[in-house]
Amino acid sequence: MRRKLIAAVGAAALVAGATACGTEGGSAGDGGKKTLTVWVMDGSAPEPWSKELNKAFEAEHKGVEVEMKVQQWNGIQERITTALSEDSPPDVLELGNTQTAGYAVTGGLADLTPMKGELGYDQWNEGMLSSAELDGKLFAAPWYAANRAVIYDKSVYEEAGVKPPETREEWLAGLEKIGEKTDKQPLYLPGQSWYVFAGFLWDEGGNLAVEKGGDTWEGALASDEAAAAMDFYKELQSHSTAPKDADEATPQQSTDVVPKGDVASWIGLGWEAGGAVAAIEEAGDEADFGYFPIPGKTADQPGHVFFGGSNLSVSERSPNKELAQEWLQMATSEEWMTKYAEATEGGLLPNSPAAQVDPAEGSFAEAMVASAEVGRITPVTPGWANVETDPNPIKTYMTKVLEGTDPKQAGKEADEVITERINGS
């Protein structure tokens, strides 16, 4: 997940003094000491948590030093692929949750299946767990996740007499009212925000692609469920002046659109909310945002959301595999995940609901946590990364439907591309 999440939710600074990339691996040092090398991504590990964790691990493992190396998301897949193919790869690696299956299928990750009980497998968030497994085997431990929520301007909602909704119907009615009673854009929603669409699709019981057996997958956007999800997306998008042929990053909604002041609400991640607040304050104004979960079809459950996040894995070729597994076990335990949630001020979801801390009332984190039990990820298969390659067929599908193409026809065209790509043809 290419996001500086910790900074966005006001957590502590990143791991200090760590070097950038490098593919040297685990055993090193003088006097018989061993160095355990851990790669973490920029924005994932708050410094106080990392220092305390590594100090505790080193105290239990005399002669071992943990060296964390911070990596940048840009170009990380190539660097990890190279590192895993070498004789001395990093011992432990943070992997994006949609990337893990791709590395597992190459044989580069250690099989952690025998450690399920020790790792607390049964206590993990089900929405995060799926990304850590492939073909019935466990290749990672979920670490953290984050999801989107609705961010709204409190003053505009108050002016229109609108309260945060609990259902889709209330949401649409509120947007209509804002359009009638204020001069603001009720909702900024670009036509290609496909992570948002995915949540609506899961609400309808559909999926982006389905497994047909024999390691074969096919696209599933020509379905009735996808058509229903796009119908709702289209209703929402009718309250927006955002382009139908662009996503939330073109232009970046949090820093290039929202700070201009004519947006009543939008859908984003915590780091985006933080970025908007910073941009507004830099311009000399004051942001007064409220947050609510993306509403579901009924009030008893919020809408499904995409979980962006990371897992922790052990390299198959790690020269310190047993130590690496022990470090991973400690780092992802309920004790240390609770500390992690505290260090991120509740702004990231830990791998276990039991480790979740109560977020501040009225915070983005509070709205995000409310959707945690209905978080999901994209289909877990090594070929999924090919689907997201530009031009992303899901984005193309969405634009076509918004511009008037029949959803079933647009879905059929998208499914042909998805099926070819996901199966690696």
Side-chain angles (χ1 to χ4, degrees):
M1 186 173 59
R2 195 173 300 167
R3 303 290 189 250
K4 294 189 177 181
L5 291 165
I6 301 300
V9 294
L14 303 177
V15 181
T19 57
C21 24
T23 57
E24 66 272 23
S27 62
D30 299 322
K33 288 189 175 182
K34 288 186 176 181
T35 299
L36 191 72
T37 305
V38 179
W39 277 16
V40 294
M41 301 310 302
D42 184 13
S44 292
E47 182 181 6
W49 179 83
S50 302
K51 283 187 173 181
E52 185 183 359
L53 168 67
N54 293 333
K55 183 177 180 180
F57 185 82
E58 290 168 354
E60 292 184 9
H61 300 79
K62 300 300 182 183
V64 174
E65 178 184 3
V66 180
E67 182 180 14
M68 277 191 163
K69 295 190 173 185
V70 176
Q71 307 295 314
Q72 302 300 316
W73 282 106
N74 187 31
I76 189 59
Q77 295 195 57
E78 293 80 4
R79 290 200 299 279
I80 290 177
T81 298
T82 299
L84 290 177
S85 69
E86 296 181 343
D87 292 333
S88 295
D91 301 293
V92 181
L93 306 94
E94 175 185 349
L95 304 173
N97 60 358
T98 62
Q99 302 170 350
T100 305
Y103 297 118
V105 78
T106 68
L109 305 181
D111 183 358
L112 304 178
T113 308
M115 295 182 64
K116 279 185 176 182
E118 301 165 68
L119 290 172
Y121 177 94
D122 292 339
Q123 282 71 51
W124 288 339
N125 183 301
E126 290 185 12
M128 299 182 195
L129 173 59
S130 60
S131 70
E133 295 184 299
L134 182 67
D135 296 333
K137 294 183 178 181
L138 185 70
F139 290 96
W143 188 12
Y144 68 81
N147 55 259
R148 289 163 175 77
V150 181
I151 305 158
Y152 70 97
D153 188 318
K154 289 182 180 179
S155 64
V156 177
Y157 267 56
E158 184 177 352
E159 179 184 348
V162 175
K163 295 181 179 180
E166 294 185 353
T167 66
R168 285 185 178 185
E169 186 177 349
E170 291 177 1
W171 193 10
L172 290 170
L175 295 176
E176 187 74 30
K177 201 170 180 181
I178 291 169
E180 293 172 352
K181 296 197 171 187
T182 77
D183 61 354
K184 304 298 183 182
Q185 179 179 182
L187 175 71
Y188 183 81
L189 180 63
Q192 296 183 345
S193 292
W194 72 274
Y195 289 123
V196 175
F197 163 73
F200 300 155
L201 178 57
W202 295 327
D203 284 345
E204 300 293 342
N207 210 335
L208 299 165
V210 293
E211 191 170 9
K212 303 304 291 183
D215 295 326
T216 300
W217 290 71
E218 65 180 31
L221 295 183
S223 64
D224 291 338
E225 293 83 0
M230 273 308 300
D231 281 345
F232 179 60
Y233 194 101
K234 194 170 186 176
E235 283 190 80
L236 287 177
Q237 223 270 330
S238 70
H239 294 281
S240 177
T241 62
K244 293 179 173 59
D245 60 352
D247 61 23
E248 68 277 9
T250 48
Q252 178 54 251
Q253 59 183 9
S254 60
T255 54
D256 297 331
V257 178
V258 173
K260 293 178 181 177
D262 99 357
V263 174
S265 64
W266 46 296
I267 301 170
L269 290 159
W271 72 268
E272 292 181 291
V277 170
I280 291 169
E281 292 178 348
E282 187 176 344
D285 294 322
E286 184 176 346
D288 188 19
F289 290 146
Y291 313 95
F292 58 83
I294 294 175
K297 301 181 77 171
T298 60
D300 61 336
Q301 179 177 287
H304 284 78
V305 288
F306 169 76
F307 265 158
S310 286
N311 300 325
L312 289 171
S313 294
V314 172
S315 301
E316 174 61 25
R317 295 188 180 187
S318 164
N320 304 300
K321 189 181 293 185
E322 185 174 339
L323 277 175
Q325 291 173 339
E326 291 176 8
W327 184 93
L328 183 147
Q329 180 180 343
M330 177 181 281
T332 59
S333 67
E334 182 179 328
E335 176 188 356
W336 286 96
M337 289 310 306
T338 301
K339 293 176 182 288
Y340 184 82
E342 292 170 347
T344 64
E345 299 180 1
L348 291 174
L349 301 169
N351 61 16
S352 166
Q356 180 63 52
V357 298
D358 291 333
E361 185 176 354
S363 65
F364 180 93
E366 182 181 49
M368 179 182 69
V369 169
S371 300
E373 292 187 3
V374 289
R376 295 180 62 174
I377 67 165
T378 52
V380 181
T381 173
W384 180 257
N386 300 327
V387 176
E388 295 187 32
T389 303
D390 288 334
N392 184 324
I394 307 168
K395 292 182 177 182
T396 303
Y397 157 79
M398 294 174 70
T399 296
K400 286 181 177 179
V401 176
L402 291 175
E403 292 180 342
T405 301
D406 177 75
K408 293 292 185 69
Q409 179 59 37
K412 181 180 179 182
E413 294 168 1
D415 286 345
E416 291 177 359
V417 179
I418 292 172
T419 301
E420 179 181 6
R421 291 186 182 183
I422 202 170
N423 294 309
S425 300

